[in-house]
Amino acid sequence: MASGSSAIAILLVEDNEGDIELTLRGLERAKLQNRIWIVRDGVEALAFLRHQAPYQEAPRPDLVLLDLNLPKLDGRDVLVSIRKDPGLRDLPVVVLTASDSEQERLAARAADAFMTKPADFQQLAKLVQMVSDLGWSIVKVSRVSARDQAGGRPDGPDR
């Protein structure tokens, strides 16, 4: 990895064991260097994001992969809570769902991206590779490195 960069942290919010396994295999197959945490319902997701018990030591993820159909607290409600929370609202969220309906897309409009869960492993690998090609899943450049590259000012080169 380049100097000044590090693997990003991904929070996967998914209750289906098969989908968890496929996602992990897809990320591994895409050879992405990331740290992945898994929670299985909406209540756990918000506890993780807010550093509530038992997640007091949890890192702030750089990306959330969020299933919409979750037990205890629906993914739509999790997404609304994220966007209403001043400490979380800028967190990138990709909604993953088994449905491609317009109703699902409308429910997820507060997300940064919406992706229909693939039906098989090859489709998942392609989906994960598309996400990595966006630059989200490979590295996160520190703000200090970005500022240094911009000439020492956070808004661009010195004039």
Side-chain angles (χ1 to χ4, degrees), residues 8-53:
I8 68 168
I10 297 173
L11 176 62
L12 174 60
V13 186
E14 175 61 67
D15 63 316
N16 181 293
E17 291 299 322
D19 287 343
I20 291 170
E21 185 177 324
L22 281 175
T23 302
L24 294 176
R25 271 204 244 154
L27 290 168
E28 182 180 323
R29 184 174 183 186
K31 298 185 184 351
L32 302 177
Q33 301 292 320
N34 296 304
R35 297 175 19 200
I36 301 169
W37 284 263
I38 301 166
V39 295
R40 289 170 170 77
D41 64 56
V43 172
E44 280 188 82
L46 290 177
F48 186 100
L49 293 170
R50 293 174 175 158
H51 303 286
Q52 298 169 340

Side-chain angles (χ1 to χ4, degrees), residues 3-158:
S3 174
S5 64
S6 61
I8 68 168
I10 297 173
L11 176 62
L12 174 60
V13 186
E14 175 61 67
D15 63 316
N16 181 293
E17 291 299 322
D19 287 343
I20 291 170
E21 185 177 324
L22 281 175
T23 302
L24 294 176
R25 271 204 244 154
L27 290 168
E28 182 180 323
R29 184 174 183 186
K31 298 185 184 351
L32 302 177
Q33 301 292 320
N34 296 304
R35 297 175 19 200
I36 301 169
W37 284 263
I38 301 166
V39 295
R40 289 170 170 77
D41 64 56
V43 172
E44 280 188 82
L46 290 177
F48 186 100
L49 293 170
R50 293 174 175 158
H51 303 286
Q52 298 169 340
Y55 303 105
Q56 295 93 325
E57 302 299 318
R60 177 183 165 95
D62 299 299
L63 175 66
V64 176
L65 299 176
L66 177 65
D67 182 25
L68 284 185
N69 299 311
L70 295 169
K72 296 186 183 177
L73 184 64
D74 191 74
R76 292 161 197 81
D77 295 326
V78 171
L79 184 57
V80 167
S81 294
I82 289 170
R83 294 305 182 226
K84 285 184 176 180
D85 187 320
L88 300 174
R89 70 173 49 135
D90 64 338
L91 191 61
V93 177
V94 176
V95 167
L96 303 173
T97 185
S99 173
D100 194 21
S101 74
E102 185 64 25
Q103 183 180 21
E104 293 289 333
R105 289 184 185 275
L106 289 172
R109 67 179 177 223
D112 295 290
F114 178 94
M115 296 184 183
T116 302
K117 288 182 190 176
D120 64 42
F121 176 68
Q122 285 186 333
Q123 288 179 333
L124 178 63
K126 287 178 185 177
L127 173 72
V128 170
Q129 191 58 52
M130 287 184 341
V131 170
S132 70
D133 288 345
L134 291 174
W136 290 347
S137 297
I138 297 177
V139 295
K140 174 182 71 175
V141 177
S142 71
R143 290 179 190 249
V144 173
S145 291
R147 187 171 43 239
D148 291 345
Q149 292 173 0
R153 290 180 40 206
D155 59 344
D158 293 328

